[in-house]
Amino acid sequence: MGKMAQKIGADTFSFFTRNPRGGRAKAINEKDVTAFLSYAKEHGISELVAHAPYTLNPCSSDEGLREFAKNTMQDDLIRMEYTPGNFYNFHPGCHTGQGVEIGVSETADLLNAILTPDQTTTVLIETMSGKGSEIGATFEEIREIIDRVALHGKLGVCLDTCHVWDAGYDVRDDLDGVLAEFDRVIGLHRLRAVHLNDSMNPRGAKKDRHAMIGEGYTGKNALLRVLCHEKLRHLPFILETPTDDNGHKLEIGMLRASAL
Ligand code: FE
Ligand code: FE
Ligand code: ZN
């Protein structure tokens, strides 16, 4: 994955810790880990943003599914320590009819059960679009989760530009306002990574359909402003646009060429 990132002009990347639909993970091969760590060091690849399987639901009304999410994420965190000091991003979940309050507290319960004082991984709560019964579509809900977690020093936030747009935040015409709001409610120091995506839908649509950069409602110029913002530009940016490695290569090239 490190080599592929290099080939397409990236200096960070995201990866699924296992099949994105969940299920068993491959055993860790120590040799692979050593080879990757030295390759990353040599090529300036830093701060990886791993993604938990997107089918996990930390606040499902089904206790078995919550248990499955907890066990899977706990195992992922053990695996993450093979590559110390990186990020592990997850979706805070869908309350499936239980209501936001219960959803928030169950997701916090899960984090309290899996975080450990000596882990070097920072767990990132992703901002969500509010599709269906998703929690985490408002900065307040994310703050609420963080407040309930004892080891909140191990937590950060990953801002997904498509999701916040779909949730109603105007990152196109009022980026500074959105960042000020983020800072007021959560604290900008918690913002540790960005998923850079355009959206196929108008602001507030709560649909979560990612578009290629410049082919959606947020638009290329607005996304460039996010990428180059003085408060954000040091963060790892991950593209989750609907294309393949070659498409991402073109997108990265286009973004680097037009960076402000
Ligand atoms: Fe995600
Ligand atoms: Fe995302
Ligand atoms: Zn999404």
Side-chain angles (χ1 to χ4, degrees):
M1 283 188 283
K3 286 189 180 131
M4 176 54 76
Q6 208 66 23
K7 209 169 127 193
I8 66 174
D11 53 16
T12 181
F13 60 90
S14 178
F15 62 99
F16 283 104
T17 48
R18 61 188 71 223
N19 182 317
R21 302 204 155 276
R24 281 193 103 78
K26 276 200 267 175
I28 298 246
N29 176 336
E30 305 247 2
K31 263 203 192 134
D32 283 354
V33 173
T34 320
F36 170 75
L37 287 176
S38 63
Y39 185 90
K41 202 167 168 194
E42 226 171 278
H43 293 82
I45 294 177
S46 62
E47 296 190 305
L48 309 183
V49 190
H51 201 306
Y54 50 68
T55 48
L56 296 184
N57 189 358
C59 60
S60 169
S61 56
D62 179 326
E63 201 192 328
L65 293 181
R66 288 204 303 276
E67 191 66 18
F68 178 69
K70 184 178 83 185
N71 293 337
T72 304
M73 288 174 66
Q74 194 159 41
D75 184 48
D76 280 349
L77 286 183
I78 293 168
R79 298 158 62 85
M80 287 296 295
E81 290 301 312
Y82 282 89
T83 51
N86 287 308
F87 297 118
Y88 178 70
N89 170 75
F90 79 105
H91 294 179
C94 297
H95 65 68
T96 57
Q98 308 186 90
V100 172
E101 262 304 295
I102 293 183
V104 160
S105 84
E106 285 176 348
T107 297
D109 288 349
L110 178 143
L111 290 168
N112 278 319
I114 66 170
L115 297 179
T116 60
D118 46 344
Q119 69 180 60
T120 65
T121 305
T122 300
V123 174
L124 304 183
I125 304 171
E126 183 166 347
T127 61
M128 301 309 291
S129 68
K131 180 182 65 182
S133 66
E134 270 175 357
I135 64 166
T138 65
F139 297 158
E140 284 79 3
E141 286 171 24
I142 289 182
R143 172 64 196 255
E144 191 64 37
I145 296 169
I146 294 171
D147 278 347
R148 289 170 191 239
V149 174
L151 295 172
H152 56 81
K154 304 290 179 191
L155 291 178
V157 176
C158 173
L159 181 116
D160 185 309
T161 56
C162 166
H163 296 176
V164 291
W165 170 261
D166 274 39
Y169 292 99
D170 194 354
V171 286
R172 184 181 68 196
D173 296 321
D174 187 21
L175 177 59
D176 283 324
V178 174
L179 293 179
E181 180 72 359
F182 189 103
D183 195 32
R184 187 182 67 78
V185 178
I186 302 176
L188 265 182
H189 65 284
R190 293 275 186 196
L191 183 53
R192 305 301 297 279
V194 178
H195 285 169
L196 196 71
N197 305 305
D198 214 327
S199 171
M200 285 188 190
N201 291 285
R203 182 163 73 89
K206 297 188 169 26
K207 288 277 205 310
D208 190 5
R209 303 268 323 273
H210 300 192
M212 299 281 294
I213 305 298
E215 292 179 13
Y217 277 84
T218 318
K220 178 179 160 183
N221 288 336
L223 292 167
L224 275 168
R225 285 195 293 275
V226 174
L227 181 67
C228 301
H229 196 282
E230 54 170 10
K231 290 187 173 146
L232 308 178
R233 55 188 316 155
H234 61 285
L235 298 173
F237 279 76
I238 305 292
L239 291 166
E240 298 177 315
T241 47
T243 181
D244 55 10
D245 287 334
N246 195 51
H248 284 133
K249 178 180 177 170
L250 297 174
E251 246 179 356
I252 291 168
M254 179 273 281
L255 288 166
R256 284 201 196 280
S258 15
L260 312 167

